[in-house]
Amino acid sequence: MAAANPAESLRGEASCSICLDYFTDPVTTDCGHNFCRSCITQSWEGRDTDFSCPQCRAMSPQRNLRPNRQLANVTEIAKKLSQCSVRPKEENLCEEHEEKLKLFCEEDQKMICLICRESRDHRSHSVIPIEEAVQEYKEKLKMHLEPLRKDLEDLLKFKSTEEKKAEELRRETEIKRQKVESDFEELHRFLNKEKQILLSRLEKILQKIGEHVTQLEEQSSSLTQLITEMEEKSQQPAIELLKDVKDSLSRCQKIKFPEPKAFSSDLKMDFELSYPQQLKKLITKFGGLDWWMKCGRYSVNVTLDPETAAPYLVLSEDRKSVRRGNTRQNVPDTPQRFDTYPCVLGSEGFTSGRHYWEVEVGDKPNCTLGVCEDSVRRKRKMKVSPKDGYWTVVLSDVLGFWGFSPETLFPLSERPRAVGILLDFQAGKVSFYDADNKSYFFTFTHTFTGKLRPFFINYCELPLRIRSVPV
């Protein structure tokens, strides 16, 4: 917009943005902005590098100030023009008394003249000369400008850091995208190869079956012809029948065919024996992808809540592992702490979504893992069962079994060394996996209404450890 007063516009162009007064010894920064030498020097005080422009925040690695003599001349001209400008505008006359505004009313926050000072409106107010008010409010503005500049500087630094993080994340995302595309291309090639192998095997089976049927047809045709000849021979008169009877009998004795074999059954069995091996390859190949689709992408960082840990439990500093100690810990007996069994809850609570975590149980576990309602009983006797708000897997090296309930117990030789737990809150499911080979074990179903938390019991001095799940 065009300026209403050219003199005021010139004054603005000839004023320093730091002190808001006419330039004194103006200098220019690398970005082209101008400041009083003393103002910019004070603004950069204590810095050796990363000099930022107070006006545009452009960064410069070194202090580089160039005197702007032309701007200094323009500033002197602006000062003289300001002194010679139109009197009413310069003197700022009072609209009511047409007297020069010399005072500032602090209550009404306005400039007044000497007559206004004696009026009823301002007689009881605190009034100071305009020059003092200007100086006072300049100081106040400077005091407010410094923290604002500091806030802007901090924000710009934070923005720079976030931009670097975003760039790193973009690079990582691109690498993962390329890897996903490469993996799926590899799977596609693998499937096509397996498809061709299986189709080729089927073609060979059909070819062998055809050859076998042709052979049987030729043998049946030869037998049919011989039988017809022998039947005709047997119907001949005695003299004709006995004439070549020896040759006829010899032909019957000489003709022999291999015992028919059920080639089709053998070939079918051969295919059925080999096909599961092909499927096994596919399952092995797709196992990781299937597990990631079902569990891995929902992985959460679970930590242990020391406020719920029973007194005999010892938690690691990173709150990722727990073991049973030999002595009772000196901890406060709060309502949220378990006191009878060596139980501890995860710090995280879940009221929606899907969440997956894994727990290393080792070679000789004696523990219980799963989820429970946040409101379960924590004092004295408690029963760990679904109807009491617990959905868990039990592993007992002492008793020699592991399982999910009294109805689903398995020999210990089949137990996993690490257990994966997938909570699907909306679906009302808690599923358990062998975390090492990504195989599925068991699922509890229930309608969840309250907050659920990871649940751990460890009767053993060997630690249970929550491990990081690759995403």
Side-chain angles (χ1 to χ4, degrees), residues 151-380:
D151 290 343
L152 178 59
E153 184 179 348
D154 293 341
L155 182 60
L156 291 174
K157 287 181 179 178
F158 179 74
K159 177 175 175 288
S160 176
T161 303
E162 290 301 302
E163 287 175 346
K164 290 179 181 177
K165 289 181 181 178
E167 183 59 31
E168 291 177 2
L169 185 59
R170 278 193 287 267
R171 287 196 296 268
E172 292 176 2
T173 302
E174 178 61 22
I175 293 172
K176 287 187 177 182
R177 185 190 66 79
Q178 294 175 1
K179 186 177 186 304
V180 168
E181 290 184 352
S182 175
D183 288 345
F184 273 86
E185 287 176 2
E186 182 182 353
L187 287 173
H188 185 68
R189 290 193 298 269
F190 175 82
L191 288 173
N192 276 334
K193 181 179 177 181
E194 294 301 317
K195 173 185 173 183
Q196 295 305 319
I197 290 173
L198 292 175
L199 291 177
S200 176
R201 185 178 292 275
L202 286 173
E203 288 295 329
K204 289 180 180 179
I205 290 173
L206 291 175
Q207 182 181 351
K208 288 182 179 180
I209 290 174
E211 292 174 355
H212 182 57
V213 170
T214 301
Q215 183 183 8
L216 291 176
E217 288 178 350
E218 291 176 352
Q219 291 176 357
S220 62
S221 177
S222 298
L223 282 173
T224 301
Q225 183 179 355
L226 182 59
I227 289 170
T228 301
E229 290 179 3
M230 291 302 102
E231 287 177 347
E232 290 177 355
K233 187 70 173 176
S234 64
Q235 299 298 324
Q236 290 178 352
I239 295 175
E240 293 296 326
L241 186 146
L242 295 173
K243 185 184 294 185
D244 298 321
V245 70
K246 188 176 180 179
D247 291 340
S248 298
L249 292 173
S250 176
R251 286 175 61 195
C252 289
Q253 292 172 353
K254 286 182 179 180
I255 189 167
K256 289 184 179 180
F257 298 105
E259 183 178 352
K261 295 182 180 179
F263 281 179
S264 59
S265 298
D266 292 344
L267 292 172
K268 181 179 179 183
M269 184 177 296
D270 176 59
F271 178 74
E272 288 178 349
L273 287 173
S274 63
Y275 191 53
Q277 300 300 320
Q278 305 299 327
L279 287 177
K280 187 175 181 180
K281 289 181 182 179
L282 291 173
I283 291 170
T284 302
K285 191 72 177 179
F286 280 107
L289 178 62
D290 180 66
W291 168 86
W292 184 85
M293 291 295 291
K294 290 180 179 177
C295 303
R297 59 177 173 166
Y298 302 114
S299 61
V300 291
N301 181 28
V302 172
T303 56
L304 301 171
D305 182 1
E307 301 299 324
T308 64
Y312 282 93
L313 290 181
V314 179
L315 276 58
S316 62
E317 290 186 4
D318 62 359
R319 297 194 294 162
K320 285 289 189 177
S321 68
V322 57
R323 63 179 178 85
R324 185 182 177 91
N326 295 322
T327 58
R328 181 184 178 90
Q329 305 293 313
N330 184 18
V331 292
D333 184 17
T334 57
Q336 62 266 32
R337 189 179 303 282
F338 291 91
D339 64 353
T340 304
Y341 298 107
C343 307
V344 62
L345 299 181
S347 299
E348 297 70 24
F350 307 117
T351 57
S352 63
R354 294 181 179 178
H355 312 277
Y356 177 80
W357 63 96
E358 294 179 353
V359 184
E360 296 175 358
V361 299
D363 296 322
K364 296 183 178 182
N366 194 9
C367 62
T368 301
L369 306 171
V371 299
C372 72
E373 294 177 345
D374 188 42
S375 58
V376 294
R377 183 175 181 176
R378 307 186 188 188
K379 303 296 182 182
R380 299 185 179 180

Side-chain angles (χ1 to χ4, degrees), residues 87-94 99-102 111:
R87 179 177 179 80
K89 294 293 182 181
E90 178 188 5
E91 291 182 352
N92 294 320
L93 298 180
C94 173
E99 292 289 329
K100 188 173 182 180
L101 300 172
K102 294 184 178 182
M111 292 183 292

